[in-house]
Amino acid sequence: GTCNEIARQLTSFSDDRALIENKPYKPLKFVCAKEYMGAKPDDIKYIIKNSSCGFCLDIGHAICAANSFKFEPYSYIQDFVSLNPSKVHLSDMYVVAEEDMHLNFGLGDIDFKLLLGEILPKDIDITIETNKHSATDLNDFVQDVKFLRKVMESI
């Protein structure tokens, strides 16, 4: 629906844990929608202002939307950061992509040093949203955490 309808639905309940997440502009191939609402910072700003929810910034979604709209991805992310997200969803991807990939860290080309060192707030909660390739172990997760720790140590 429209941003107005999204805000209306979110206002129908009051729970400060509810967060609106930005979306890529182009939906995945199996989704019927022509485009997602919430791909622009102004969409999210409107929804937050007109509902009782906070904001979760999905970095991959922001990069996808920036590419769809022909904006520089890191500047586009900064536009979303100005909306004071309380959470961040983070994965790797190719910075020229329009579809979210959820790659494990180091498999794409996101500049994590720039992202974590200069763009994102230092105290923001981060959820790792990378692919998990095993149902029996957490090796992917362990490698992703090691990758992020190494980046943080270099900042």
Side-chain angles (χ1 to χ4, degrees), residues 110-130:
I110 289 179
D111 185 344
F112 287 102
K113 193 170 182 177
L114 172 66
L115 190 63
L116 297 170
E118 297 179 31
I119 297 176
L120 294 176
K122 304 293 183 239
D123 60 347
I124 194 138
D125 290 337
I126 295 175
T127 300
I128 296 173
E129 273 201 331
T130 55

Side-chain angles (χ1 to χ4, degrees), residues 12 23 28 52 64 70 80 111 114 116 120 130-131 146:
S12 69
K23 302 302 289 178
L28 297 172
S52 56
C64 293
K70 309 294 186 228
F80 279 113
D111 185 344
L114 172 66
L116 297 170
L120 294 176
T130 55
N131 292 320
K146 285 181 180 178

Side-chain angles (χ1 to χ4, degrees), residues 5 29 49 62 66 77 82 95 101-102 116 126 132 134 139-140:
E5 177 61 15
K29 290 175 180 51
K49 181 180 176 188
I77 291 169
S82 73
V95 182
M101 299 174 171
H102 292 272
L116 297 170
I126 295 175
K132 301 298 173 245
S134 173
N139 292 339
D140 294 329

Side-chain angles (χ1 to χ4, degrees), residues 35-88:
E35 61 191 52
Y36 282 131
M37 298 306 298
K40 297 177 182 177
D42 284 345
D43 294 347
I44 298 298
K45 184 177 181 178
Y46 178 88
I47 293 166
I48 292 169
K49 181 180 176 188
N50 294 285
S51 72
S52 56
C53 70
F55 173 43
C56 175
L57 169 56
D58 189 299
I59 298 299
H61 293 175
I63 290 171
C64 293
N67 291 324
S68 293
F69 297 127
K70 309 294 186 228
F71 292 122
E72 196 284 318
Y74 296 105
S75 294
Y76 205 66
I77 291 169
Q78 287 176 317
D79 291 343
F80 279 113
V81 169
S82 73
L83 301 177
N84 300 313
S86 58
K87 307 266 187 231
V88 168

Side-chain angles (χ1 to χ4, degrees), residues 1 25-37:
Y25 180 66
K26 293 184 177 181
L28 297 172
K29 290 175 180 51
F30 59 85
V31 177
C32 295
K34 293 179 183 173
E35 61 191 52
Y36 282 131
M37 298 306 298

Side-chain angles (χ1 to χ4, degrees), residues 97-109:
E98 290 186 72
E99 288 188 13
D100 199 10
M101 299 174 171
H102 292 272
L103 297 177
N104 295 91
F105 300 124
L107 298 181
D109 58 8

Side-chain angles (χ1 to χ4, degrees), residues 6-20 51-54:
I6 294 166
R8 186 195 67 75
Q9 289 180 22
L10 289 170
T11 305
S12 69
F13 61 92
S14 180
D15 188 335
D16 62 0
R17 296 172 297 173
L19 303 175
I20 188 72
S51 72
S52 56
C53 70

